[in-house]
Amino acid sequence: MVYKQWCSEWLNCYVKPQVKERTYAKYCQLAKKHILPEIGEYRLCELSTTVLQQFVNNMQEKGYASTTIHGLISLLKLSLVKAVELNLVDKEYSMYLSRPKTLTKRVECFSIYEQRKIENFIVFIDKPKYFGVLLSLYTGIRLGELLALEWNDLDMRKCIIKVSKSCHDSWGDDGYIKVIDTPKTHNSHRIIPMPKQLVPYLKIMRRNATSKYVIPGRTNYGSGIRTYQRFFEKMLSDLGVAHKGFHSLRHTFATRALECGMDVKTLSEILGHANPTITLNRYAHSMFDHKTSMMNRVGKLLRR
């Protein structure tokens, strides 16, 4: 059996029933675009360390990011491990591959000045669609989770948000459609305490709401991911704020929370991370100004 036949069988019989539709579609796209054109015609028994390493080397030569290459190797490994389990091949060789080093990507967040500029504009313009930006800045909620929020997910008396679903854009018969799904991971199911200062704005929005979704759109399904991203990009451009992705709002929330003294365990649970180590590794280096301030505070002891 050649690899492209096995890959198709593996995806449809062993992956599709076990993962989210979005994950399955991503696997199919990665296999079709990157893996099958390179090694699809090889027989399973021909996929040696040399063949797989050449595939990895080709991806590097084409300039793909290390995270993309690691993802392709993981996909290959999953398919080949299953082939070994089913006795289609004696051994898989992905464990012997030399992989590119993964560089830690520095998180981008808005400065205090930029954050204030964004907040003042949103409060001034007073439109429900803009409030999603403010909600993300003060809860760290992901974009997919934000746009899936319904009014019954909010308890304004207790000041909490229940995150139990997310959404993504998908291709349908009539173009891109909004698909409601479960959150990113098991830990993404969570309850987030809201700052009480947000509640008055939300109450006004709720009284005037015409959709079950907190962030309205042109249809009853609320705003889509790409539509809201473009809206956010235009807002930053109009304000003269340097472009950053919507996810930078989540990074900004995390950085401000740490600067205010929130402990890492609490922040980890609010963000929906699997453990505090992930939170600490991701955001510790984004607090250099705060570190400097703390060191200067320690330095004051010298004058005493």
Side-chain angles (χ1 to χ4, degrees):
M1 179 186 293
V2 296
Y3 180 74
K4 68 178 181 181
Q5 292 175 316
W6 164 242
C7 186
S8 176
E9 181 179 331
W10 172 69
L11 286 168
N12 286 295
C13 297
Y14 299 100
V15 175
K16 190 174 183 179
Q18 301 296 327
V19 302
K20 294 181 181 180
E21 179 184 342
R22 186 180 184 183
T23 302
Y24 169 72
K26 181 181 178 181
Y27 282 8
C28 290
Q29 183 184 28
L30 288 173
K32 181 179 179 180
K33 183 176 180 180
H34 300 295
I35 299 176
L36 298 184
E38 296 281 341
I39 62 172
E41 297 299 331
Y42 280 88
R43 297 182 64 81
L44 285 175
C45 60
E46 296 173 332
L47 293 178
S48 63
T49 303
T50 302
V51 171
L52 297 180
Q53 187 64 59
Q54 187 58 53
F55 164 70
V56 172
N57 295 344
N58 289 343
M59 292 295 104
Q60 288 184 270
E61 290 173 4
K62 291 178 181 179
Y64 287 102
S66 59
T67 51
T68 300
I69 297 173
H70 279 271
L72 294 173
I73 294 173
S74 296
L75 188 59
L76 261 173
K77 182 179 179 65
L78 288 171
S79 66
L80 294 176
V81 166
K82 178 56 71 173
V84 171
E85 290 177 0
L86 298 176
N87 295 319
L88 298 176
V89 66
D90 294 331
K91 190 175 183 180
E92 63 90 15
Y93 298 91
S94 61
M95 66 185 77
Y96 304 114
L97 296 178
S98 297
R99 304 173 179 230
K101 291 183 179 179
T102 302
L103 301 176
T104 303
K105 187 177 180 181
R106 187 177 181 85
V107 297
E108 285 189 323
C109 69
F110 293 99
S111 67
I112 290 287
Y113 171 75
E114 291 172 328
Q115 183 173 346
R116 290 286 177 258
K117 196 172 185 179
I118 292 169
E119 292 171 3
N120 291 338
F121 174 74
I122 292 171
V123 171
F124 172 78
I125 201 166
D126 192 27
K127 291 184 178 180
K129 187 174 183 179
Y130 288 84
F131 191 76
V133 176
L134 202 60
L135 200 58
S136 295
L137 267 174
Y138 281 92
T139 63
I141 197 169
R142 298 179 179 95
L143 178 56
E145 296 167 345
L146 170 71
L147 299 182
L149 271 185
E150 299 180 14
W151 285 109
N152 58 16
D153 295 320
L154 274 62
D155 188 328
M156 284 180 270
R157 184 175 61 84
K158 295 181 179 179
C159 293
I160 59 174
I161 298 175
K162 181 182 178 183
V163 178
S164 60
K165 52 190 175 297
S166 184
C167 71
H168 64 272
D169 290 344
S170 184
W171 186 260
D173 294 336
D174 300 320
Y176 278 107
I177 58 174
K178 180 177 179 178
V179 178
I180 302 298
D181 204 345
T182 54
K184 184 178 178 181
T185 65
H186 172 75
N187 296 91
S188 297
H189 288 266
R190 63 199 189 280
I191 293 177
I192 303 175
M194 280 190 296
K196 62 183 180 181
Q197 291 81 359
L198 293 178
V199 174
Y201 299 102
L202 286 167
K203 285 183 176 179
I204 295 173
M205 287 172 59
R206 181 71 184 94
R207 284 199 296 268
N208 300 322
T210 57
S211 169
K212 69 176 183 177
Y213 291 101
V214 176
I215 307 304
R218 294 181 179 179
T219 68
N220 292 332
Y221 295 102
S223 180
I225 294 286
R226 189 67 195 110
T227 300
Y228 205 79
Q229 286 173 330
R230 285 195 294 263
F231 151 77
F232 180 66
E233 290 166 4
K234 184 178 186 305
M235 188 192 78
L236 292 183
S237 176
D238 291 344
L239 289 174
V241 175
H243 170 74
K244 291 181 180 67
F246 190 90
H247 206 68
S248 294
L249 296 172
R250 178 173 165 89
H251 296 324
T252 303
F253 162 76
T255 301
R256 296 288 106 83
L258 289 170
E259 290 172 350
C260 289
M262 183 181 292
D263 65 275
V264 176
K265 179 71 165 63
T266 298
L267 178 59
S268 176
E269 292 175 355
I270 290 173
L271 292 174
H273 288 163
N275 58 69
T277 303
I278 295 174
T279 311
L280 192 59
N281 289 341
R282 189 163 296 171
Y283 295 108
H285 63 279
S286 66
M287 298 174 57
F288 190 78
D289 291 342
H290 181 63
K291 292 173 186 175
T292 302
S293 176
M294 293 298 101
M295 291 297 284
N296 289 334
R297 185 179 297 180
V298 172
K300 289 180 181 179
L301 296 172
L302 180 62
R303 294 201 300 269
R304 297 177 185 175

